[in-house]
Amino acid sequence: MLILGLETSCDETAAALVESGRRVRSSVVASQIEDHRPFGGVVPEIAGRKHLENLVPVVQAALDQAGARPAEIGAVAVTSSPGLMGALLVGTSFGKALALGWGVPLIEVNHLHAHALAILLGRRRPRFPFLALVVSGGHTTLFRVEAPLSLGILGQTRDDAAGEVLDKVAKFLGLGYPGGPVIDALAAGGNPLAVRFPRGLARSPTLDFSFSGLKTAVVNSALGTRRIDGRLNDQQPPPLSESGLRDLVASFQEAVVDTLVGTTLRAAREHRLSTVVVSGGVAANTRLREKMAGEGKAAGVRVLFPDRDLCTDNAAMIAGAAWHLARGKRFAGLDLRPSAKMKPAAC
Ligand code: KG4
Ligand code: ZN
């Protein structure tokens, strides 16, 4: 079965054609980064409007790349939660119209479950059950994945998501948007031991995360430097030297990575799971990949990352997850309602 997946939960408009939950025939992503960059973050109103403009050409490109005709498509899958409400409404409405027009079933997919299952589209596939860390701009969540349609939350962030703190700190330091990739590159030349930042909830018995205290600590550290420099001005990014900035950013990134790796491997141990999958936009981070792989190996855990383009937002993961729902005949009606918060039941 060939499924058309649509992804519009945040700032990427994506369409993909995936065959039998396995073979990615095409995957097209239209990024809105340039539209949001002047504002230093995603503007929900702009995101919704851009999805509306982008959907027709992106779906057309996905069909063209796959060399497929609409008549070959067996179902249309849409992200229905969680995400920005306006953005989800545009994508789900568009998906409903296509499903109705083509006379095929509609499938609703949970964006986080799709991130956790994206690994099934690659060459190195995990055995079930496995532990999935979904670490993105809006979420930091640990799932126990029993089977493709059986995912349970073991822990999640109590405040900011990991990607969110990377983006917010980068914005504060005047490094641009999105912050994750900039911090990834800058940190490579810095000393991760230069500043000792807190590892939120590292000693807590739960498998939850907390990153907002770290964000405050980084801001205070930067402000402290500004005070020493005698040029405190809340409107300006701190006047750090090039090497001071690299050290600060490397130490901050190390605290984020340390926390993610520590809690994830503890979850694997406590739940006796021998495979860890790391997915979502932050899984593209060089240091996270390196440290999770190294410490996982030392702990006897197999660590898998989807390819980078399957880690960041894409529609192939939506069409891939939808295939499992289609096999279970779990179709949605045209009365489907998207939800900004994660829906409890939908995959
Ligand atoms: O999964 P994603 O594309 O969208 C959401 O569902 O949120 O994740 C976006 C997040 C942003 O916070 C971005 O800064 C972060 O992923 N990100 C990275 C890297 N590439 C993207 N964070 C750290 N290092 C990267 N290389
Ligand atoms: Zn995402």
XYZ file of all heavy atoms in Angstrom, residues 208-286:
583
model
N 11.955 11.889 34.390
C 11.597 13.176 33.786
C 12.839 14.034 33.566
O 13.909 13.754 34.116
C 10.612 13.935 34.684
C 9.205 13.368 34.572
O 8.948 12.598 33.634
O 8.376 13.704 35.439
N 12.663 15.073 32.774
C 13.734 16.031 32.496
C 13.299 17.424 32.938
O 12.100 17.707 33.059
C 14.020 16.098 30.980
C 14.431 14.788 30.364
C 13.487 13.949 29.786
C 15.767 14.404 30.348
C 13.855 12.744 29.208
C 16.148 13.202 29.762
C 15.191 12.371 29.197
N 14.279 18.306 33.170
C 13.990 19.719 33.429
C 15.149 20.525 32.871
O 16.309 20.241 33.178
C 13.852 19.967 34.935
O 13.845 21.362 35.166
N 14.839 21.497 32.027
C 15.907 22.287 31.406
C 15.810 23.778 31.685
O 16.710 24.525 31.306
C 15.915 22.061 29.880
C 16.338 20.678 29.483
C 15.415 19.752 29.035
C 17.673 20.288 29.569
C 15.806 18.466 28.675
C 18.078 19.012 29.213
C 17.136 18.101 28.761
N 14.741 24.229 32.366
C 14.602 25.689 32.492
C 15.635 26.264 33.474
O 16.084 27.392 33.300
C 13.175 26.080 32.856
O 12.903 25.707 34.172
N 16.016 25.485 34.497
C 17.041 25.960 35.439
C 18.385 26.122 34.742
O 19.136 27.081 35.018
N 18.667 25.219 33.834
C 19.916 25.306 33.065
C 19.913 26.576 32.216
O 20.920 27.301 32.153
C 20.049 24.063 32.178
C 21.153 24.085 31.119
C 22.531 24.198 31.768
C 21.082 22.830 30.248
N 18.769 26.864 31.601
C 18.657 28.065 30.760
C 18.973 29.314 31.602
O 19.777 30.163 31.183
C 17.220 28.142 30.212
C 16.894 29.326 29.361
C 15.430 29.282 28.941
C 14.498 29.408 30.127
N 13.092 29.184 29.812
N 18.401 29.392 32.811
C 18.648 30.546 33.679
C 20.128 30.613 34.063
O 20.722 31.699 34.080
C 17.786 30.413 34.963
O 16.448 30.171 34.552
C 17.853 31.662 35.815
N 20.716 29.454 34.345
C 22.133 29.429 34.746
C 23.031 29.945 33.624
O 24.007 30.672 33.866
C 22.537 28.002 35.141
N 22.702 29.583 32.392
C 23.521 30.028 31.254
C 23.374 31.544 31.076
O 24.369 32.264 30.890
C 23.122 29.299 29.943
C 23.928 29.821 28.763
C 23.337 27.803 30.088
N 22.147 32.022 31.195
C 21.914 33.472 31.055
C 22.664 34.218 32.157
O 23.350 35.213 31.896
C 20.387 33.771 31.109
C 20.130 35.259 31.275
C 19.712 33.251 29.847
N 22.574 33.710 33.394
C 23.281 34.377 34.507
C 24.783 34.357 34.299
O 25.474 35.333 34.599
C 22.941 33.684 35.839
C 21.569 34.102 36.337
O 21.030 35.117 35.893
N 21.004 33.311 37.220
N 25.280 33.251 33.789
C 26.722 33.149 33.557
C 27.154 34.196 32.523
O 28.158 34.891 32.712
C 27.049 31.733 33.077
O 28.374 31.643 32.677
N 26.364 34.321 31.460
C 26.689 35.310 30.417
C 26.574 36.728 30.976
O 27.419 37.583 30.719
C 25.775 35.128 29.218
N 25.541 36.956 31.791
C 25.363 38.292 32.370
C 26.493 38.629 33.327
O 26.950 39.763 33.390
C 24.023 38.382 33.110
C 22.779 38.472 32.233
C 21.525 38.398 33.078
C 22.794 39.753 31.409
N 26.947 37.601 34.058
C 28.056 37.809 34.991
C 29.276 38.318 34.250
O 29.939 39.267 34.681
N 29.528 37.722 33.106
C 30.665 38.149 32.299
C 30.472 39.600 31.876
O 31.398 40.389 31.860
C 30.763 37.254 31.044
O 30.632 35.921 31.454
C 32.078 37.458 30.325
N 29.216 39.925 31.555
C 28.951 41.295 31.129
C 29.201 42.275 32.275
O 29.711 43.358 32.070
C 27.497 41.426 30.662
C 27.295 40.774 29.327
C 25.850 40.517 29.069
N 25.119 41.741 28.813
C 23.799 41.774 28.660
N 23.106 40.684 28.758
N 23.197 42.911 28.412
N 28.807 41.842 33.494
C 29.040 42.739 34.633
C 30.533 42.969 34.811
O 30.970 44.083 35.014
C 28.444 42.126 35.907
C 26.986 42.384 35.999
C 26.473 42.202 37.410
N 25.033 42.084 37.342
C 24.373 40.946 37.273
N 25.020 39.799 37.331
N 23.069 40.925 37.182
N 31.282 41.866 34.696
C 32.731 42.001 34.837
C 33.256 42.955 33.762
O 34.086 43.812 34.011
C 33.417 40.612 34.741
C 33.028 39.792 35.971
C 34.933 40.735 34.660
C 33.232 38.308 35.818
N 32.679 42.842 32.588
C 33.099 43.736 31.505
C 32.601 45.164 31.724
O 33.015 46.076 31.002
C 32.546 43.245 30.163
C 33.279 42.009 29.686
O 34.309 41.658 30.290
O 32.807 41.386 28.732
N 31.686 45.318 32.688
C 31.196 46.662 32.987
C 30.294 47.233 31.925
O 30.125 48.440 31.809
N 29.691 46.347 31.107
C 28.841 46.871 30.024
C 27.461 46.240 30.074
O 26.934 45.795 29.065
C 29.496 46.580 28.679
C 30.616 47.531 28.342
C 31.026 47.354 26.909
N 31.972 46.261 26.765
C 32.203 45.631 25.634
N 31.554 45.950 24.560
N 33.095 44.653 25.580
N 26.880 46.127 31.265
C 25.593 45.460 31.403
C 24.494 46.258 30.702
O 24.265 47.416 30.969
C 25.251 45.288 32.884
C 23.948 44.556 33.169
C 24.006 43.145 32.642
C 23.669 44.531 34.657
N 23.851 45.612 29.755
C 22.748 46.246 29.035
C 21.825 45.125 28.587
O 22.167 44.326 27.727
C 23.293 47.020 27.822
C 22.169 47.602 26.986
O 20.989 47.292 27.213
N 22.519 48.445 26.047
N 20.643 45.080 29.187
C 19.754 43.949 28.935
C 19.305 43.832 27.480
O 18.822 42.794 27.059
C 18.532 44.029 29.852
C 18.904 43.619 31.263
O 19.963 42.974 31.416
O 18.167 43.950 32.193
N 19.430 44.864 26.716
C 18.974 44.820 25.325
C 20.029 44.202 24.397
O 19.743 43.861 23.278
C 18.667 46.241 24.808
C 17.644 46.992 25.651
C 16.377 46.174 25.864
O 15.832 45.627 24.916
N 15.929 46.075 27.112
N 21.253 44.118 24.859
C 22.347 43.680 23.986
C 22.781 42.255 24.307
O 22.767 41.860 25.459
C 23.571 44.593 24.194
C 23.318 46.044 23.834
C 23.167 46.212 22.338
O 23.874 45.580 21.567
N 22.223 47.041 21.922
N 23.196 41.497 23.295
C 23.804 40.201 23.622
C 25.120 40.445 24.354
O 25.747 41.493 24.163
C 24.049 39.559 22.251
C 23.916 40.636 21.252
C 23.128 41.749 21.862
N 25.517 39.507 25.221
C 26.718 39.743 26.017
C 27.972 39.880 25.162
O 28.152 39.122 24.211
C 26.809 38.502 26.910
C 25.897 37.507 26.294
C 24.890 38.223 25.476
N 28.839 40.814 25.482
C 30.067 41.000 24.696
C 31.138 40.002 25.110
O 32.139 40.354 25.730
C 30.468 42.437 25.026
C 29.944 42.662 26.398
C 28.727 41.813 26.563
N 30.913 38.727 24.778
C 31.901 37.703 25.117
C 32.967 37.657 24.036
O 32.687 37.946 22.877
C 31.215 36.338 25.178
C 30.251 36.083 26.336
C 29.414 34.846 26.053
C 31.038 35.909 27.617
N 34.157 37.261 24.438
C 35.197 37.053 23.426
C 34.801 35.818 22.614
O 33.978 35.002 23.059
C 36.542 36.796 24.110
O 36.473 35.569 24.805
N 35.404 35.640 21.468
C 35.111 34.493 20.599
C 35.321 33.180 21.373
O 34.455 32.307 21.382
C 36.032 34.573 19.367
C 35.973 33.392 18.424
C 34.721 33.379 17.560
O 34.088 34.440 17.426
O 34.384 32.286 17.042
N 36.455 33.091 22.078
C 36.721 31.826 22.784
C 35.833 31.692 24.020
O 35.412 30.589 24.371
C 38.206 31.720 23.157
O 38.502 32.669 24.155
N 35.513 32.825 24.656
C 34.616 32.781 25.818
C 33.236 32.287 25.405
O 32.605 31.495 26.107
N 32.772 32.740 24.250
C 31.470 32.323 23.738
C 31.479 30.827 23.402
O 30.568 30.082 23.764
C 31.118 33.146 22.491
C 29.782 32.822 21.838
C 28.612 33.147 22.764
C 29.618 33.577 20.515
N 32.540 30.390 22.749
C 32.629 28.964 22.394
C 32.637 28.083 23.649
O 31.988 27.045 23.701
C 33.908 28.697 21.581
C 33.807 29.140 20.142
C 35.076 28.791 19.374
N 35.062 29.359 18.047
C 34.445 28.802 16.995
N 33.830 27.648 17.122
N 34.449 29.395 15.822
N 33.372 28.520 24.677
C 33.434 27.746 25.927
C 32.068 27.699 26.613
O 31.638 26.655 27.113
C 34.473 28.357 26.877
C 35.899 28.081 26.415
O 36.071 27.295 25.452
O 36.838 28.646 27.022
N 31.401 28.858 26.656
C 30.081 28.933 27.294
C 29.094 27.998 26.584
O 28.390 27.207 27.219
C 29.570 30.383 27.232
C 28.201 30.639 27.876
C 28.334 30.697 29.397
C 27.581 31.942 27.372
N 29.084 28.083 25.262
C 28.161 27.293 24.461
C 28.491 25.797 24.558
O 27.598 24.952 24.679
C 28.217 27.820 23.000
C 27.692 26.815 22.022
C 27.429 29.128 22.886
N 29.783 25.469 24.548
C 30.183 24.053 24.654
C 29.785 23.495 26.022
O 29.323 22.347 26.131
C 31.690 23.923 24.434
N 29.947 24.301 27.074
C 29.595 23.838 28.425
C 28.095 23.666 28.557
O 27.606 22.728 29.200
C 30.092 24.845 29.474
O 31.481 25.035 29.349
N 27.354 24.588 27.965
C 25.886 24.508 27.976
C 25.422 23.257 27.218
O 24.627 22.461 27.723
C 25.327 25.794 27.360
C 23.906 25.712 26.884
C 22.884 25.287 27.735
C 23.562 26.093 25.583
C 21.563 25.223 27.295
C 22.254 26.026 25.139
C 21.254 25.583 25.995
N 25.942 23.080 26.014
C 25.550 21.908 25.208
C 25.884 20.615 25.952
O 25.117 19.649 25.946
C 26.261 21.929 23.855
C 25.945 20.698 23.012
C 26.731 20.664 21.716
O 26.252 21.102 20.680
N 27.959 20.158 21.769
N 27.048 20.609 26.632
C 27.465 19.409 27.364
C 26.460 19.076 28.476
O 26.161 17.909 28.727
C 28.868 19.621 27.954
C 29.554 18.354 28.415
C 29.881 17.378 27.266
O 29.842 17.781 26.090
O 30.152 16.211 27.579
N 25.938 20.134 29.135
C 24.955 19.904 30.208
C 23.670 19.314 29.636
O 23.077 18.399 30.224
C 24.664 21.217 30.938
N 23.235 19.814 28.477
C 22.020 19.268 27.838
C 22.260 17.803 27.466
O 21.462 16.911 27.791
C 21.648 20.087 26.565
C 20.494 19.426 25.816
C 21.293 21.532 26.926
N 23.389 17.556 26.809
C 23.698 16.209 26.319
C 23.873 15.222 27.478
O 23.330 14.113 27.466
C 24.960 16.251 25.417
C 25.498 14.859 25.135
C 24.641 16.973 24.108
N 24.610 15.647 28.506
C 24.847 14.819 29.691
C 23.536 14.379 30.333
O 23.367 13.216 30.706
C 25.578 15.703 30.717
C 26.844 15.064 31.180
O 27.279 14.092 30.555
O 27.406 15.568 32.186
N 22.611 15.338 30.454
C 21.318 15.056 31.069
C 20.538 14.060 30.213
O 19.970 13.089 30.732
C 20.503 16.374 31.192
O 21.327 17.344 31.828
C 19.237 16.175 31.978
N 20.521 14.292 28.902
C 19.774 13.398 28.009
C 20.357 11.986 28.045
O 19.626 10.999 28.157
C 19.803 13.935 26.567
C 19.017 15.233 26.314
C 19.293 15.758 24.903
C 17.516 15.016 26.501
N 21.687 11.896 27.964
C 22.343 10.580 27.928
C 22.154 9.860 29.272
O 21.789 8.674 29.318
C 23.848 10.728 27.583
C 24.582 9.402 27.750
C 24.011 11.258 26.161
N 22.373 10.588 30.378
C 22.289 9.973 31.711
C 20.907 9.392 31.974
O 20.768 8.223 32.373
N 19.872 10.189 31.739
C 18.511 9.733 32.056
C 18.068 8.628 31.089
O 17.397 7.670 31.486
C 17.526 10.923 32.037
O 18.030 11.911 32.935
C 16.131 10.512 32.466
N 18.450 8.760 29.822
C 18.043 7.740 28.836
C 18.680 6.387 29.169
O 17.998 5.350 29.168
C 18.445 8.193 27.417
O 17.808 9.440 27.155
C 18.029 7.182 26.366
N 19.957 6.388 29.487
C 20.607 5.097 29.777
C 20.122 4.521 31.116
O 20.045 3.303 31.279
C 22.133 5.239 29.729
C 22.680 5.552 28.316
C 24.193 5.662 28.329
C 22.242 4.496 27.275
N 19.759 5.409 32.052
C 19.172 4.912 33.310
C 17.806 4.262 33.024
O 17.471 3.207 33.569
C 19.031 6.080 34.300
C 18.530 5.653 35.677
C 18.902 6.678 36.746
N 18.414 8.020 36.452
C 17.172 8.444 36.709
N 16.311 7.620 37.277
N 16.817 9.673 36.431
N 17.032 4.896 32.120
C 15.726 4.325 31.753
C 15.910 2.950 31.113
O 15.168 2.007 31.404
C 15.005 5.263 30.784
N 16.916 2.843 30.242
C 17.168 1.563 29.565
C 17.490 0.483 30.604
O 16.996 -0.647 30.531
C 18.313 1.711 28.570
N 18.323 0.885 31.583
C 18.727 -0.079 32.615
C 17.523 -0.487 33.467
O 17.243 -1.670 33.658
C 19.806 0.575 33.483
C 20.643 -0.379 34.283
C 21.842 0.309 34.924
N 21.485 1.422 35.781
C 21.871 2.695 35.578
N 22.618 2.992 34.552
N 21.512 3.652 36.413
N 16.788 0.521 33.949
C 15.671 0.234 34.855
C 14.571 -0.570 34.160
O 13.891 -1.370 34.789
C 15.076 1.547 35.390
C 15.972 2.202 36.432
C 15.462 3.571 36.889
O 14.306 3.929 36.585
O 16.242 4.282 37.548
N 14.388 -0.351 32.874
C 13.323 -1.051 32.147
C 13.844 -2.234 31.340
O 13.127 -2.791 30.517
C 12.545 -0.063 31.264
C 11.668 0.840 32.080
N 10.340 0.593 32.308
C 11.966 1.964 32.773
C 9.844 1.532 33.093
N 10.805 2.385 33.388
N 15.096 -2.560 31.567
C 15.722 -3.718 30.906
C 15.524 -3.704 29.387
O 15.093 -4.683 28.787
C 15.162 -5.026 31.471
C 15.468 -5.215 32.923
C 14.807 -6.482 33.466
N 14.822 -6.496 34.907
C 15.882 -6.786 35.644
N 17.015 -7.119 35.077
N 15.821 -6.750 36.958
N 15.832 -2.570 28.785
C 15.721 -2.442 27.333
C 17.129 -2.351 26.758
O 17.939 -1.535 27.202
C 14.901 -1.196 26.976
C 13.433 -1.272 27.415
C 12.757 0.080 27.372
C 12.679 -2.280 26.546
N 17.423 -3.207 25.785
C 18.813 -3.262 25.314
C 19.046 -2.428 24.048
O 20.151 -2.380 23.534
C 19.221 -4.715 25.076
O 18.338 -5.275 24.139
N 17.973 -1.787 23.532
C 18.139 -0.914 22.357
C 17.559 0.457 22.655
O 16.444 0.568 23.179
C 17.417 -1.499 21.125
O 17.879 -2.824 20.921
C 17.698 -0.660 19.884
N 18.336 1.481 22.312
C 17.893 2.871 22.483
C 17.878 3.530 21.108
O 18.855 3.451 20.366
C 18.847 3.643 23.426
C 18.582 5.149 23.349
C 18.702 3.159 24.866
N 16.752 4.179 20.789
C 16.628 4.930 19.541
C 16.499 6.404 19.907
O 15.729 6.754 20.795
C 15.376 4.455 18.762
C 15.069 5.394 17.604
C 15.566 3.033 18.265
N 17.276 7.250 19.259
C 17.204 8.689 19.548
C 16.728 9.399 18.290
O 17.330 9.258 17.223
C 18.567 9.253 19.985
C 18.412 10.689 20.470
C 19.182 8.399 21.078
N 15.640 10.165 18.416
C 15.047 10.794 17.238
C 14.522 12.186 17.562
O 14.497 12.596 18.714
C 13.915 9.881 16.748
O 13.495 10.277 15.479
N 14.073 12.925 16.533
C 13.656 14.319 16.716
C 14.806 15.229 16.314
O 15.950 14.777 16.181
N 14.521 16.507 16.123
C 15.510 17.452 15.590
C 16.831 17.481 16.341
O 17.902 17.541 15.729
N 16.791 17.400 17.683
C 18.025 17.497 18.470
C 18.895 16.239 18.302
O 20.099 16.267 18.577
C 17.706 17.788 19.959
C 18.960 17.953 20.793
C 16.833 19.040 20.087
N 18.295 15.162 17.815
C 19.075 13.935 17.563
C 20.077 14.143 16.430
O 20.952 13.311 16.208
C 18.147 12.767 17.232
N 19.954 15.273 15.717
C 20.957 15.596 14.687
C 22.230 16.140 15.325
O 23.250 16.294 14.657
C 20.380 16.631 13.713
N 22.205 16.418 16.627
C 23.355 17.038 17.306
C 24.580 16.109 17.362
O 24.485 14.964 17.812
C 22.938 17.441 18.731
C 24.049 18.150 19.471
O 24.825 17.532 20.194
N 24.148 19.451 19.276
N 25.706 16.638 16.930
C 26.932 15.836 16.814
C 27.367 15.267 18.166
O 27.681 14.083 18.287
C 28.072 16.717 16.265
O 27.560 17.453 15.154
C 29.260 15.908 15.840
